[in-house]
């Protein structure tokens, strides 16, 4: 009987170690999960689940003469399932090391900057009252160049957004088209 107990204990320890590996791996990602990370963490989670199942089977198979050991090992297994470790969802679909939501915020800010640059140009043109001297032309050309640069920057950031952010991408594209 003490040999099943030893095997069951070893299996519980293996399950505990597998769970610690998963917890450490999740922590090591720093909250940024790309598709490769998700696959790695899912595999570790599967290993934990397998190890828990193996251990539970060995513990359940212990004879009633080993009830004290059985209860202690069951308690350790219960501690592994509460709370259940959840693998986080992908939040860096383009694997650029930046949260997709941060990418959206940066792209949105760039679109706003482009819109503001265009409003500055429109206001400057209106402010000339239809009379444009060479200095005015140079000033307006510079403002137009700033608009074009801002639009280009914004378009690049919007185009780089991952497909998981398609709604935001479409909305920002529409603003740029306007």
């Amino acid at each position: 009987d003490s040999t099943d107990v030893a095997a069951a204990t070893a299996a519980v320890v293996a399950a505990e170690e597998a769970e610690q590996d998963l917890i450490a791996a999740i922590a090591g990602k720093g909250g940024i999960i790309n598709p490769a990370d998700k696959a790695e963490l899912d595999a570790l989670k599967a290993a934990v689940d397998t190890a828990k199942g193996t251990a539970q089977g060995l513990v359940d198979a212990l004879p009633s003469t080993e009830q004290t050991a059985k209860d202690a090992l069951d308690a350790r297994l219960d501690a592994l399932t509460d709370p259940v470790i959840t693998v986080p969802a992908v939040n860096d679909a383009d694997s650029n090391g930046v949260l997709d939501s941060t990418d959206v915020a940066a792209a949105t800010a760039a679109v706003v900057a482009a819109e503001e640059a265009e409003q500055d140009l429109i206001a400057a043109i209106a402010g000339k009252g239809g009379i444009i001297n060479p200095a005015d032309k140079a000033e307006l050309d510079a403002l137009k160049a700033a608009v074009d640069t801002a639009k280009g920057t914004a378009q690049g950031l919007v185009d780089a957004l991952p497909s998981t952010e398609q709604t935001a991408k479409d909305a920002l594209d529409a603003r740029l088209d306007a």
Side-chain angles (χ1 to χ4, degrees), residues 106-117:
T108 302
V111 169
V112 168
E115 290 169 339
E116 289 173 351

Side-chain angles (χ1 to χ4, degrees), residues 42 80 113 128 154 173 178:
D42 283 343
L80 287 179
K128 301 300 176 196
D173 261 330

Side-chain angles (χ1 to χ4, degrees), residues 133-161:
N133 65 37
D136 295 336
K137 173 83 168 112
E139 175 194 338
L140 296 176
D141 284 345
L143 286 172
K144 174 73 169 94
V147 170
D148 293 342
T149 300
K151 279 185 182 173
T153 299
Q155 190 67 62
L157 289 170
V158 170
D159 290 347
L161 290 176

Side-chain angles (χ1 to χ4, degrees), residues 2-103:
S2 63
T3 307
D4 203 1
V5 173
T9 301
V12 170
V13 169
E16 290 169 337
E17 288 173 350
E19 186 168 86
Q20 286 310 307
D21 289 347
L22 174 61
I23 291 168
I26 291 172
K29 302 300 176 195
I32 298 178
I33 310 296
N34 66 37
D37 295 333
K38 176 84 167 125
E40 174 194 337
L41 296 175
D42 283 343
L44 286 171
K45 175 77 165 99
V48 170
D49 294 341
T50 300
K52 281 183 187 175
T54 299
Q56 191 67 63
L58 289 170
V59 170
D60 290 347
L62 289 175
S64 56
T65 53
E66 296 292 347
Q67 195 62 47
T68 305
K70 192 173 184 172
D71 291 345
L73 292 174
D74 260 330
R76 286 170 67 178
L77 282 173
D78 288 345
L80 287 179
T81 56
D82 185 34
V84 172
I85 307 298
T86 305
V87 172
V90 171
N91 58 14
D92 178 22
D94 56 2
S95 303
N96 68 348
V98 179
L99 291 175
D100 295 332
S101 57
T102 304
D103 291 335

